[in-house]
Amino acid sequence: RAAGPQPSTQKPGVPGVKAIIAVASGKGGVGKSTTTCNLALALQANGLKVGVLDADIYGPSVPRLFHVTGRPEPVSGRILKPLEGYGVKVMSMGFLVEEETPMIWRGPMVISAITQMLREVAWGELDVLVVDMPPGTGDAQLTMAQNVPLAGAVIVSTPQDLALIDARKGLNMFRRVDVPVLGIVENMSYFLCPDCGGRHDIFGHGGARKEAEKLGVPFLGEVPLDMAIREKSDAGTPVVVTDPDGPHATIYKEIARKV
Ligand code: ADP
């Protein structure tokens, strides 16, 4: 579905890029970047050419997740060559500024930085460019959702009520600018205890599925809270790469098929 026609002249597409999809969350810390990265790798595993634009410029985590460092080199004029991690083309503010530099930027600067990373990067031929959006639903996010020619948006939420309220705000934000919501992913959905084998619904469970039903958008899947997901993400060796046939990779590939 994401590979459908690109919208209006007001939002010109990126040459060579068939579809751009945003991964968003109403608040930080729900696993948006982890989902972006594993979803991108799952889309690639499903046979697509994939890029990731890290638009979470306040806390760029895509370089760490893809285990890529370095400075993108110019290919011609201002156009930069994206870096590559596990076969996925990656561009992030994290490559352009030092890690400790605080991003004390106003909305318009955020938007211009993201626009540059979108339009002044040699993305080449891509089936899907996945955008890790900055968390929240403020002006910057709204403007961005409006300016980037998005084919659709995926919302990530934990099952907690508060996260879901924020997820609903995110969803409404995309609806306001006529970006189709491709669905909701429930992250940290449940915990399977490695010691007792029991299943624990730490943040409650099933909230996102109910919310998706209520809002009339697809429910894309449940990702468990699992130490392996965190450890592998932090080590820059995401589960979809390190254990491609494992239970987590299977969940992400299933989500990738639905978007
Ligand atoms: P966000 O982008 O929403 O701020 P991150 O993707 O950076 O969130 O995730 C926040 C932290 O939670 C990271 O340390 C990440 O490894 C961890 N995390 C995310 N999803 C899971 C999960 N399903 N299981 C275990 N840890 C997770």
Side-chain angles (χ1 to χ4, degrees):
R1 194 158 20 116
Q6 287 288 305
S8 76
T9 47
Q10 214 191 345
K11 296 190 270 185
V14 178
V17 178
K18 291 201 187 114
I20 305 176
I21 62 176
V23 179
S25 66
K27 65 186 203 114
V30 299
K32 172 180 53 60
S33 300
T34 305
T35 306
T36 303
C37 156
N38 281 296
L39 175 63
L41 290 162
L43 286 162
Q44 177 177 254
N46 288 352
L48 300 176
K49 276 197 215 123
V50 184
V52 170
L53 194 171
D54 186 2
D56 190 348
I57 69 159
Y58 295 110
S61 32
V62 171
R64 179 175 43 81
L65 286 162
F66 277 92
H67 214 293
V68 272
T69 49
R71 282 209 182 257
E73 298 290 329
V75 280
S76 70
R78 292 164 61 101
I79 309 292
L80 298 177
K81 188 175 187 290
L83 298 182
E84 207 170 296
Y86 305 114
V88 172
K89 288 182 181 164
V90 182
M91 189 64 198
S92 169
M93 212 57 198
F95 301 143
L96 306 173
V97 295
E98 298 304 322
E99 204 166 344
E100 283 81 27
T101 310
M103 284 286 161
I104 316 169
W105 283 6
R106 289 178 170 278
M109 290 168 76
V110 173
I111 292 152
S112 106
I114 292 166
T115 308
Q116 277 179 25
M117 289 198 289
L118 185 70
R119 304 205 180 274
E120 294 179 8
V121 166
W123 288 109
E125 298 288 321
L126 292 182
D127 294 306
V128 191
L129 178 62
V130 187
V131 181
D132 188 5
M133 292 279 285
T137 50
D139 278 348
Q141 286 85 349
L142 182 64
T143 311
M144 198 194 137
Q146 217 159 12
N147 290 347
V148 177
L150 294 172
V154 171
I155 313 276
V156 181
S157 180
T158 59
Q160 285 148 299
D161 285 348
L162 269 179
L164 283 167
I165 289 169
D166 286 331
R168 200 177 310 150
K169 281 189 206 157
L171 195 140
N172 286 329
M173 177 182 86
F174 287 110
R175 283 189 166 162
R176 256 177 72 183
V177 293
D178 292 325
V179 171
V181 174
L182 303 173
I184 300 180
V185 173
E186 184 167 276
N187 190 37
M188 308 190 191
S189 188
Y190 54 90
F191 173 66
L192 288 176
C193 175
D195 298 327
C196 73
R199 174 180 166 139
H200 306 277
D201 293 339
I202 294 178
F203 302 119
H205 173 252
R209 185 187 289 275
K210 277 196 218 112
E211 193 67 28
E213 276 165 19
K214 210 158 70 188
L215 294 162
V217 297
F219 180 68
L220 298 174
E222 297 172 347
V223 180
L225 176 68
D226 191 313
M227 194 113 85
I229 295 183
R230 192 203 56 75
E231 282 174 350
K232 299 241 168 86
S233 292
D234 287 355
T237 53
V239 281
V240 174
V241 171
T242 46
D243 190 9
D245 299 315
H248 302 322
T250 306
I251 293 172
Y252 285 117
K253 284 183 201 168
E254 191 54 39
I255 293 171
R257 263 190 289 276
K258 292 185 192 161
V259 299

